[in-house]
Amino acid sequence: MKKIFLITYIFICSTIVWAQRQVLMFEHVSMVDGLSQICVNDIMQDTTGFLWFATQDGLNMYDGYTFRVFKPSLQDNNSISS
């Protein structure tokens, strides 16, 4: 019984320590990089890894290298609403 408890304890402790070794990297982006506005209201990441930045000047999709800006257009029914 003590062996099972000891093995379980070691397994749980090793997975907790291993999970905390993840290194997060941050990158600052600005209008110089292509962001449409410096004031960002919300940031989301989709299932394919793209980052989406919501600003007053439009919706910005970031692929890690460049931005693509989506803006509302009254003439285009397929554009974003606001």
Side-chain angles (χ1 to χ4, degrees):
M1 183 68 173
K2 287 184 179 182
K3 281 186 178 182
I4 293 174
F5 176 75
L6 181 61
I7 292 171
T8 305
Y9 179 76
I10 291 171
F11 176 74
I12 291 172
C13 289
S14 66
T15 56
I16 291 172
V17 171
W18 179 77
Q20 294 177 353
R21 290 187 181 176
Q22 183 181 8
V23 176
L24 299 176
M25 295 182 64
F26 293 92
E27 181 178 331
H28 295 273
V29 292
S30 67
M31 292 178 70
V32 174
D33 301 305
L35 188 63
S36 66
Q37 188 182 35
I38 198 66
C39 183
V40 176
N41 298 323
D42 200 5
I43 303 172
M44 297 289 293
Q45 184 175 18
D46 65 18
T47 57
T48 57
F50 293 114
L51 291 174
W52 295 85
F53 297 84
T55 69
Q56 292 293 323
D57 192 44
L59 185 62
N60 298 252
M61 182 184 78
Y62 185 59
D63 63 6
Y65 301 101
T66 58
F67 281 95
R68 183 172 174 196
V69 182
F70 299 91
K71 295 183 179 187
S73 173
L74 296 176
Q75 294 79 21
D76 185 2
N77 291 334
N78 293 322
S79 72
I80 61 175
S81 60
S82 61

